[in-house]
Amino acid sequence: MEGTPRPQTVSTKQQRIAQLATQMPGTAITSLSHHMDLEWMRQAHARTRKDGATGVDGESADEFSANLEGNLRALLDGAKSGTYRAPPVRRVHIPKGDGSKTRPIGIPTYADKVLQRAVAMLLEPIYEEDFYDFSYGFRPELSAHDALAALRKQIESMRSGAWVLDVDIRGFFDTLDHAKLRDLLRQRVTDGVVTRLIGKWLNAGVLEGGVVHHPATGTPQGGVISPLLANIYLHEALDSWWVEDVLPRLRGRACLIRYADDFVMVFSSREDALRVQAVLPKRMARFGLTLHPEKTRLVDYRHPGGGNGLDPGSFDFLGFTHYWGRSRKGAWVPLRKTSKSRFSRGLRALGVWMARARHLRVAKQAVVLRKKLNGHFRYYGLRGNSATLNRFRYEAIRLWHKWLSRRSQRARLTWEVFNRLLKHHPLPPARLNPGWRQPLLPFANP
C-alpha cells in the first residue's frame, strides 16, 4: 500500500546500529534487541555453519532446518521473554602443536549457534566502530592473511629490521574473567535481552565425561560468540592500553599486530621492547591473564647484512615461521615458511582422515584429498614457501599410499601400481596463492 514504510533489511539495521555507535563513542547503547525479528533470525541461520559437529542434543543443521520457521520463532520468543535456557557445550579435545597436548573445544547446540550468531550480528556494528585496525581476528572482511601482510609491511618499513616481542597468553579462552567481561560489555551495551543472553552462555557449563562443569572463568573455543567476546576483552586489556599508554612513551617506532589472542609487538628500538616486555605481564594480570614464560620471548629480528655478524632470528606467528634468508639475487629478505607444528598437525590430520576413509572408493578419496590439499595451499601458499608446500604434498602422497596399502592384507599396493592410480586420480600441484605473489624487497644495509 502506498505510504506504508518498507521493512528494514538486516544490513540497513546494522548500518543504523553502527551510526549510533559512532555518534555515541564510549556511551552504553540501551536498546538493541528490538532489531531482532524473524528475518534477523533467518539471516543468523543463513550465516551459521551447517557442517559443524553437533552439541549435547545431537541435533544437526538439517534436523533444525526441517522446521526452520517454528524453531527460529521459538528461539526469538525465548530470547526476548527471558525463558531461553542456554544448554551446556559439549567439550572435545583436538591435537595441539606437535600432538603431545590437546586444546579443549566447546561445541554448542545448533540452535544455540544460531542465537549466538543473532546476538553477534547486533554487537559487531558497535564494536567495529571501536576496534583498532591492527586487530584482525574474526572480524568482517579481515583475515589472518591481512594480519601477515600488515606484519610484513611494518617490518619492511623498519629498514634495519626489528625487535619482535613474541607473546603467548596462557590458556586465554579458559581464563577470561566473567565479571570483568560483563563490566566491559556494560560500557557499551546495556540492553537487557543481550546482556542476559551473554550471561547465560557464560554460565551454561561444559559437558565432559557425562558430567556438567560450571567454570567461573573462560568462554568456550568453538562458540559462535566467543571470538567477539575475546576481541572485546583484549581490546581493553591490550589494544587501548597500547594506543593510549604505550605508544606515546616510546622513543622509536613500534606496532602491534593481533589476531584474537595471538599477537606480536614489533619495535625499532631494543630499549623500547625491553620496557614493554617488563610491564606487559603486569598489565595482563590486571585482567586475570598470564603470559607463558617459555613461549613469550624477545627476538632479535634485525637482518644479518652489513657485516654485523648477527645470527638471523626467527619467530612463529599465525602458522608461519618468520626468518631471514637470501633472495635469488643474494640480498637479505624476510621470508616465511610453514611452521613445524602446523606442518606436523596438517599431516597428522590427513593421516587420521585417510585411516577412516581408506575403504571408500579411490575416486571418492581423491576428490576429498584434492580439496584438503588445495585448502592447505590456499593458506600456506606464499612466496618463499614453495619448498615446504612441495614437501607437504610429497608426504601426503606417501601417507595415501600407506593407507591404501592397508585395504588388503593379501596384495600389497606397489608404487608402480600406485603411480598409475595417481595418473587416473591426479592430486593438485603445490602452488602459491596468487594473492601472495608479492615482490621480495631487499633491505638496505644499516
Side-chain angles (χ1 to χ4, degrees):
M1 182 182 297
E2 187 176 352
T4 302
R6 297 177 61 185
Q8 293 181 341
T9 64
V10 171
S11 61
T12 300
K13 291 179 179 180
Q14 289 184 310
Q15 290 173 5
R16 292 193 61 186
I17 295 171
Q19 291 171 358
L20 185 62
T22 303
Q23 296 166 1
M24 302 171 60
T27 303
I29 297 175
T30 60
S31 181
L32 277 177
S33 57
H34 66 279
H35 292 295
M36 278 203 311
D37 54 17
L38 199 54
E39 178 57 29
W40 189 280
M41 300 301 294
R42 292 190 192 103
Q43 282 291 316
H45 165 71
R47 299 181 189 186
T48 301
R49 180 179 170 183
K50 308 298 188 295
D51 59 351
T54 58
V56 295
D57 61 356
E59 184 180 45
S60 67
D62 288 341
E63 291 169 332
F64 181 90
S65 301
N67 181 26
L68 182 60
E69 293 296 302
N71 286 331
L72 293 179
R73 171 61 67 186
L75 275 178
L76 182 62
D77 292 345
K80 292 199 171 185
S81 66
T83 59
Y84 180 77
R85 297 184 64 182
V89 298
R90 181 172 67 87
R91 174 166 286 176
V92 298
H93 294 266
I94 62 172
K96 179 180 180 181
D98 60 1
S100 60
K101 297 181 179 180
T102 60
R103 174 185 289 109
I105 299 293
I107 304 173
T109 65
Y110 184 78
D112 211 34
K113 292 177 185 178
V114 173
L115 188 54
Q116 287 188 30
R117 176 63 63 196
V119 172
M121 287 162 54
L122 288 174
L123 295 178
E124 278 177 353
I126 298 172
Y127 286 100
E128 281 301 305
E129 300 302 313
D130 294 350
F131 290 158
Y132 293 104
D133 58 7
F134 53 77
S135 169
Y136 293 88
F138 305 103
R139 294 180 59 189
E141 299 184 17
L142 292 176
S143 69
H145 287 176
D146 295 317
L148 289 164
L151 175 62
R152 181 184 180 87
K153 182 178 180 180
Q154 291 289 343
I155 289 176
E156 286 177 347
S157 69
M158 300 179 187
R159 303 302 297 177
S160 297
W163 295 86
V164 177
L165 186 55
D166 183 10
V167 183
D168 185 275
I169 300 176
R170 176 178 279 168
F172 170 73
F173 281 91
D174 294 329
T175 56
L176 185 148
D177 187 288
H178 290 178
K180 180 70 72 173
L181 175 59
R182 290 192 186 94
D183 289 342
L184 295 178
L185 282 167
R186 280 194 289 267
Q187 293 177 16
R188 283 303 258 153
V189 176
T190 55
D191 181 286
V193 171
V194 173
T195 56
R196 183 169 58 241
L197 283 172
I198 292 175
K200 289 181 177 182
W201 287 321
L202 292 176
N203 296 321
V206 176
L207 176 65
E208 186 172 18
V211 179
V212 177
H213 306 275
H214 294 274
T217 61
T219 181
Q221 284 183 271
V224 171
I225 203 167
S226 293
L228 177 57
L229 297 181
N231 274 336
I232 293 170
Y233 201 84
L234 286 173
H235 173 75
E236 182 65 27
L238 179 66
D239 301 354
S240 296
W241 172 72
W242 172 263
V243 170
E244 297 169 8
D245 296 331
V246 175
L247 286 180
R249 292 174 170 80
L250 299 182
R251 297 179 179 178
R253 295 186 55 195
C255 73
L256 167 66
I257 304 292
R258 182 172 71 79
Y259 191 92
D261 63 323
D262 196 1
F263 65 94
V264 292
M265 297 172 168
V266 183
F267 303 86
S268 63
S269 163
R270 179 175 181 269
E271 289 71 23
D272 286 342
L274 289 172
R275 289 169 59 201
V276 174
Q277 185 180 24
V279 299
L280 184 59
K282 301 174 184 176
R283 174 66 183 184
M284 294 294 99
R286 288 184 56 186
F287 290 82
L289 305 174
T290 58
L291 303 185
H292 198 296
E294 297 175 0
K295 296 182 180 179
T296 299
R297 62 196 183 100
L298 182 61
V299 178
D300 185 347
Y301 199 66
R302 293 173 296 166
H303 79 79
N308 53 25
L310 288 173
D311 291 328
S314 66
F315 62 96
D316 287 356
F317 184 60
L318 296 182
F320 291 93
T321 296
H322 302 253
Y323 68 102
W324 286 100
R326 295 280 192 179
S327 69
R328 292 181 179 179
K329 295 183 179 180
W332 285 106
V333 291
L335 297 174
R336 296 167 292 193
K337 62 183 179 182
T338 312
S339 67
K340 291 181 180 179
S341 63
R342 292 294 185 90
F343 187 95
S344 299
R345 185 195 304 177
L347 284 180
R348 188 165 51 251
L350 278 182
V352 170
W353 170 77
M354 289 174 184
R356 294 172 178 169
R358 67 184 183 274
H359 295 300
L360 298 178
R361 291 178 54 207
V362 172
K364 188 171 184 178
Q365 291 185 46
V367 170
V368 177
L369 184 53
R370 279 194 287 269
K371 291 180 180 179
K372 290 180 179 293
L373 287 175
N374 279 325
H376 183 89
F377 299 152
R378 276 195 300 271
Y379 185 79
Y380 293 102
L382 71 163
R383 186 168 181 176
N385 199 29
S386 295
T388 310
L389 295 181
N390 278 307
R391 187 160 61 90
F392 187 88
R393 182 180 185 274
Y394 171 78
E395 295 294 344
I397 290 174
R398 286 176 60 86
L399 269 176
W400 199 24
H401 174 263
K402 167 188 169 181
W403 286 109
L404 287 180
S405 297
R406 297 187 179 186
R407 284 158 65 103
S408 172
Q409 296 181 353
R410 295 181 179 179
R412 181 171 176 81
L413 180 65
T414 66
W415 277 100
E416 181 180 0
V417 174
F418 180 68
N419 284 329
R420 288 202 300 268
L421 180 150
L422 283 176
K423 289 183 179 179
H424 286 90
H425 305 285
L427 298 179
R431 53 193 170 206
L432 300 181
N433 184 332
W436 282 115
R437 290 173 184 168
Q438 313 159 1
L440 292 177
L441 303 178
F443 275 44
N445 290 334

